[in-house]
Amino acid sequence: MVALTPQDVSRLAELARIELTPAELAEIAPQLDVILEAVASVGQVADQDIPPSSHAVPLTNVMRDDERRDSWPAEAMLRGAPAQGQQRFRVPRIIDDSDAG
């Protein structure tokens, strides 16, 4: 594996839109090398008989039948509302539509 140079890190930082000083580039390059070597060593350990996985244990999605049922009555939901009108919650206006049009 070829070691990363500060120029390599500079290009990566540029792609990530991160500004780094020359001192930071020199410091980060060997740190990234250690990370890349660790990732490469994991790839060497994984054998052909081990399938790739995203979780340590199998996951299953628990699904239920989609059954139609009555919703809560509007009166019951609005009972504790500080303001209501036309069977809806009333809230303060946050968009001024006087300039629309």
Side-chain angles (χ1 to χ4, degrees):
M1 184 167 165
V2 178
L4 288 175
T5 65
Q7 291 78 18
D8 296 328
V9 177
S10 175
R11 177 66 179 137
L12 291 171
E14 181 183 321
L15 291 171
R17 294 187 169 100
I18 300 171
E19 291 184 26
L20 297 174
T21 65
E24 291 170 324
L25 292 171
E27 181 181 351
I28 291 173
Q31 294 174 358
L32 286 176
D33 275 335
V34 171
I35 293 169
L36 292 174
E37 286 175 16
V39 171
S41 69
V42 170
Q44 293 171 354
V45 172
D47 202 8
Q48 297 298 330
D49 61 338
I50 301 173
S53 63
S54 61
H55 293 84
V57 296
L59 298 178
T60 56
N61 194 0
V62 179
M63 303 293 280
R64 64 170 173 79
D65 291 335
D66 193 11
E67 299 173 0
R68 182 181 172 149
R69 54 185 173 166
D70 294 334
S71 65
W72 287 84
E75 300 81 29
M77 293 291 96
L78 294 170
R79 194 172 297 134
Q84 56 177 296
Q86 299 177 346
Q87 290 196 327
R88 297 185 179 116
F89 292 100
R90 290 190 54 86
V91 296
R93 180 178 298 273
I94 58 170
I95 299 176
D96 181 12
D97 59 359
S98 62
D99 294 335

